Amino acid sequence: MTHPTSTEIAGRIEDLYGAPLADLEAHAQDQPPDILTALLGLHSTLALAEHSITVHRERLAQLIHPERDISAHEVVHVLDCARRIAEAVAVRDTQAVTASAVLQSLVRIEPPEPAERAEQAESPEPSPAPPTTTVPPAPPAATTTSAPSR
């Protein structure tokens, strides 16, 4: 099963928000966490996992090169590289699936055309009235007098 790469995810984020990823990252730093922040975090983790896979795969290829003898000491390094690759693949797959699912659920809404904006500014629609609640009237307060009762 092939998953989208970090480059594909970045492109989809840029298409969704209509701005380059670097601009979106700069914008997100000044804002409270939102869906953009989450998407950028997913992308960052995905890119890091892909980088880790590449680095450890290259290191593993060096360690098991056919012309090289593998000593007992190097077996530990071979196993460590294999473990790190497996972890990075699991992270990559999870982040790719999650990012794809979130991006598929979002739709870009185009801003209104300038003419539509002007019409909206001239004749704003009345806002709905806030909901009202009816409170039953309080029972009449007992009247007290200072006159003695008979």
Side-chain angles (χ1 to χ4, degrees), residues 51-143:
H51 178 72
S52 182
I53 292 168
T54 301
V55 167
H56 293 296
R57 187 179 53 215
E58 289 171 359
R59 178 66 179 139
L60 185 59
Q62 292 172 351
L63 291 170
I64 62 171
H65 192 274
E67 296 176 5
R68 184 173 182 189
D69 291 332
I70 300 176
S71 67
H73 175 72
E74 290 173 328
V75 169
V76 173
H77 294 289
V78 169
L79 292 174
D80 184 55
C81 278
R83 178 187 59 80
R84 289 174 187 253
I85 290 170
E87 288 173 351
V89 166
V91 169
R92 179 204 58 199
D93 291 352
T94 302
Q95 297 298 314
V97 167
T98 303
S100 289
V102 171
L103 285 168
Q104 286 175 350
S105 72
L106 300 175
V107 178
R108 181 172 185 199
I109 299 175
E110 296 295 328
E113 296 296 320
E116 291 176 18
R117 285 188 210 153
E119 289 173 8
Q120 289 175 353
E122 291 173 7
S123 60
E125 293 182 22
S127 60
T132 59
T133 57
T134 55
V135 179
T143 58

